[in-house]
Amino acid sequence: MGERANPTDLELAALISSKICHDVIGPVGAIYNGLEILDEDDDQEAKNYALDVIRNVTEQASARLQFCRFAFGAAGSAGAIIDLGTCEQISRGFIGKGKHTLVWKVTPGHMPKDKAKLLLNLLASAITALPRGGEIDVQMAGTMEKPNFLLRCKGTNARAPLHLTEFIAGENTPPLDAMTIQPYYTWRLAAAADMLLAILQDGDDILLSAKST
C-alpha cells in the first residue's frame, strides 16, 4: 500500500456499504421504473413488459444482495464455516445468464469463513478480467483448512482484474472508493486467511491464484 495507511474499521465499513449500494441501486431503480409503467400506462403490452422487467431485475437484485451477504458480511459468528455448495449456488446467481459463464470445480464441503469469502471475492474480481464476457473456471486443490484456488478467465481481451494487481504489488494503488474497495478487500482477506495471491497469464487466459501458506 506504499505510504498510505490502511483505512480504519469505520472507514472500511463505510466503503463496503457504498460498494453494496452501488451494486443494487441500478436494479432497484429499474423496479421503480417498472412500477411507474404499471401505474401510468393502460396498454397491456406495456404492462407485460414492465412485469418482465420487474421480475428480472428483482431476481438480479436478490442475487447480488445474497452474494454480498457472504462475500462481505459476517455470514455467521467468528470462526464459522461456510458450505461450499452454498457458495456455488450464490455464485451462479451472481454470474446470472449474461455474458459470463461459470464452471465450478470445487470440492464439496465446509470451509473456514475467511477462505470461502476470499473465493467469492476472487470470483467478483475475475468478472472484471473479462470485460467482453467469457468463461470463469473455478478450481480448488488442497484441503478445506489449507485450500489452493485457481480461477482461469477465458474470453476475448481477457486482462488483469481491475486494481487487484496494484494492491498485491503494493505499488500505484488507487484511492479507495466504492469502485476500488472490492479488490482492496480481496487483498486484505487473503492476508487474513494466510493465503498468497498472484495474477498470471497463460496464453490468452488470465489466472487468479490463491495459495495457502
Side-chain angles (χ1 to χ4, degrees), residues 38-104:
L38 290 177
D39 287 339
E40 300 173 2
D41 201 319
D42 292 330
D43 181 70
Q44 189 58 46
E45 185 175 345
K47 288 182 178 292
N48 290 339
Y49 170 77
L51 285 171
D52 286 341
V53 169
I54 291 171
R55 290 188 189 98
N56 289 335
V57 296
T58 299
E59 181 181 355
Q60 184 182 73
S62 177
R64 290 184 182 183
L65 285 171
Q66 182 77 336
F67 185 87
C68 288
R69 175 174 174 258
F70 280 84
F72 301 119
S77 59
I81 58 176
I82 295 178
D83 183 359
L84 291 177
T86 300
C87 289
E88 178 183 4
Q89 179 183 1
I90 63 176
S91 294
R92 292 196 181 280
F94 183 67
I95 292 289
K97 300 176 182 177
K99 61 184 181 179
H100 297 92
T101 58
L102 177 64
V103 178
W104 188 269

Side-chain angles (χ1 to χ4, degrees), residues 116-137:
K117 285 160 62 87
L118 175 61
L119 178 58
L120 294 175
N121 276 274
L122 285 172
L123 177 63
S125 289
I127 292 174
T128 71
L130 296 169
R132 297 183 62 181
E135 180 180 285
I136 302 172
D137 187 292

